[in-house]
Amino acid sequence: MSVAEDRHAEIVRALKASESVTVAELARALQTSEVTVRRDLAELEQTGVLRRVRGGAVSTMLRGEEMPFAMREMEQSAAKARIAAAAVGLIAEGESVVLDSGTTGLAAAHELCARRVTVVPLAVNSMVVLASAPSVTLLLPGGTVRKGESSLVGPMAEQNISMLRLDTMLMTCCGLSPRGGITAHDLQDAAVKRAAAAASARTIAMIDSSKFARTALAVVCATAEIDVVVTDVDAPEDAVATLRADGIEVHCV
């Protein structure tokens, strides 16, 4: 992550904590000039996460909506890379894999490039990554591209996936509760995830620790329907213990 991306991530975290920030406060916290902060705020305004006001900015991130993809890609980036590598490490050569969308899904696409597998990607950005991988057989499901996310949604995606039988789904999500299940912000996205899990013999959920504190709008499935959870070492110990007690294999990396 670049220095500018680090600053952007810190600004987003500050907005999530207080919903408004001032240029002077950010300059002190980031140890940079107010000119640089104003430039950062202008760039972040273009992504839709904030609105600039006199002397600072206010958050435009609604609690029921997810952050833009570019902002989520900055969040927990190192942990997501470790999670993706560990999850792909559980895939055997020759397997057929349906790869979920999202930032961790994109990280997993890069890891899959070195494997001899058949991959059904549920996002256009992952397709681009995998298209040039010499040992990957790429199977495209079709569907409507969700704006800003590049994920595939809609009845075409659901129907095409339901006609396949796959070895493993690498699932991502917006929230996980050991008792409340796996959740997503978008209803159509949740439906595609359900179809992909139903078509797969095994589901591996790739979930960074921040997702344990969140519950999104649409239920994807109960945690009992997940076979393996790959998360990071900061995952809540009680949640990890509950998952393991329910017979779910959990890897903390």
Side-chain angles (χ1 to χ4, degrees), residues 171-193:
M171 178 184 282
T172 63
C173 71
C174 301
L176 180 148
S177 165
R179 299 306 178 201
I182 303 284
T183 54
H185 283 288
D186 185 80
L187 293 170
Q188 291 190 88
D189 186 47
V192 171
K193 291 177 190 293

Side-chain angles (χ1 to χ4, degrees), residues 3 11 57 60 62 73 75 83 91-92 105 129 150-152 168-169 193 198 207 216 223 225 232 246:
V3 174
I11 291 169
T60 57
L62 301 178
E73 198 168 16
E75 193 177 50
I83 290 166
I91 303 294
V129 169
S150 89
S151 57
L152 297 174
T168 300
M169 179 190 185
K193 291 177 190 293
I207 303 171
T223 52
E225 297 176 49
D232 59 80
D246 289 342

Side-chain angles (χ1 to χ4, degrees), residues 109-195:
H110 287 281
E111 295 291 334
L112 285 166
C113 283
R115 306 297 299 279
R116 182 178 60 80
V117 287
T118 297
V119 183
V120 182
L122 301 181
V124 175
N125 51 12
S126 291
M127 293 177 190
V128 173
V129 169
L130 292 162
S132 59
S135 60
V136 171
T137 300
L138 199 55
L139 189 60
L140 304 183
T144 302
V145 178
R146 188 176 163 215
K147 299 293 186 184
E149 291 295 310
S150 89
S151 57
L152 297 174
V153 296
M156 181 183 294
E158 292 175 52
Q159 183 177 15
N160 288 352
I161 292 165
S162 70
M163 296 175 68
L164 301 173
R165 292 297 175 265
L166 300 141
D167 293 308
T168 300
M169 179 190 185
L170 291 176
M171 178 184 282
T172 63
C173 71
C174 301
L176 180 148
S177 165
R179 299 306 178 201
I182 303 284
T183 54
H185 283 288
D186 185 80
L187 293 170
Q188 291 190 88
D189 186 47
V192 171
K193 291 177 190 293
R194 284 195 295 272

Side-chain angles (χ1 to χ4, degrees), residues 171-185 203-216 218 220-231 235-236 238-244 246 248-250:
M171 178 184 282
T172 63
C173 71
C174 301
L176 180 148
S177 165
R179 299 306 178 201
I182 303 284
T183 54
H185 283 288
T203 299
I204 299 175
M206 305 183 295
I207 303 171
D208 71 78
S209 56
S210 69
K211 304 295 174 60
F212 286 86
R214 301 173 185 173
T215 299
V220 175
C221 64
T223 52
E225 297 176 49
I226 302 297
D227 300 288
V228 182
V229 169
V230 182
T231 185
D238 57 341
V240 170
T242 300
L243 293 171
R244 285 176 172 155
D246 289 342
I248 299 169
E249 182 181 332
V250 181

